[in-house]
Amino acid sequence: MKNFTSMILLLVITSVGCTQSIENKDFSWLLGDWQRTNNEAGQLTTESWEFSQKEYQGLGVTVVGSDTVFFENISLTNIENQMFLVVETPEHGDPVQFKITSQTNESFTAENPENDFPKKIIYKKTKEGLLATVSNDERTIDFTFIPAKN
């Protein structure tokens, strides 16, 4: 009987450990409005993050003058009990999924080795704001953000 009870307890602990929902993944350090500080001259890039409908949703926009030259919808969501960063842009018809491969209290790494660029996306909270790094084997681009002034 003792072995049976131990097996049931082990099964319950394993089941709970394997079920990862967005509610127990804290990405709240991303929330808010952010402005990129290392833009090319004449550009304004912003990201805004909120928590809605059990997922984190972001919007990235780059403006030159009064023209929007780039935008992307971003989300952190649970797909079949695994966390993903999902990026949607007009250039890519279908959303691109990046699996969250590591996470700390103030950072995460998301990867999709099948994607041309980027293959890896890293977000980190910094003393000044956020650092987002996108990369593949040949190139790396850093996006340095501070809280946006409203």
Side-chain angles (χ1 to χ4, degrees):
M1 184 68 172
K2 186 176 181 182
N3 283 341
F4 179 73
T5 305
S6 296
M7 290 295 288
I8 295 296
L9 182 59
L10 181 61
L11 182 61
V12 168
I13 289 170
T14 303
S15 299
V16 170
C18 291
T19 304
Q20 299 178 354
S21 69
I22 191 75
E23 290 86 5
N24 63 16
K25 295 295 184 183
D26 185 11
F27 298 96
S28 61
W29 50 270
L30 271 176
L31 298 176
D33 298 320
W34 303 94
Q35 182 175 330
R36 186 175 178 192
T37 60
N38 61 336
N39 273 318
E40 293 182 21
Q43 290 186 346
L44 171 64
T45 301
T46 60
E47 267 192 28
S48 297
W49 285 89
E50 63 182 30
F51 184 76
S52 176
Q53 303 293 320
K54 297 188 177 187
E55 72 178 10
Y56 291 85
Q57 298 174 339
L59 175 65
V61 178
T62 300
V63 176
V64 175
S66 61
D67 295 328
T68 300
V69 296
F70 178 80
F71 74 91
E72 63 185 352
N73 290 303
I74 318 162
S75 61
L76 285 161
T77 190
N78 185 322
I79 301 172
E80 298 179 6
N81 290 325
Q82 296 197 349
M83 293 301 301
F84 285 85
L85 176 71
V86 180
V87 180
E88 298 179 67
T89 64
E91 295 83 31
H92 293 93
D94 295 324
V96 181
Q97 298 177 352
F98 296 85
K99 182 179 178 182
I100 304 294
T101 56
S102 68
Q103 181 184 2
T104 69
N105 289 336
E106 295 183 334
S107 72
F108 69 85
T109 300
E111 299 180 71
N112 180 339
E114 303 301 315
N115 198 48
D116 289 336
F117 187 87
K119 290 184 182 298
K120 183 186 287 188
I121 301 173
I122 301 171
Y123 273 84
K124 293 180 188 176
K125 177 120 171 82
T126 65
K127 191 184 318 182
E128 297 80 24
L130 291 177
L131 174 63
T133 302
V134 296
S135 64
N136 66 8
D137 297 333
E138 292 83 40
R139 133 179 135 169
T140 299
I141 302 172
D142 288 332
F143 295 82
T144 305
F145 292 96
I146 59 172
K149 298 176 178 114
N150 293 334

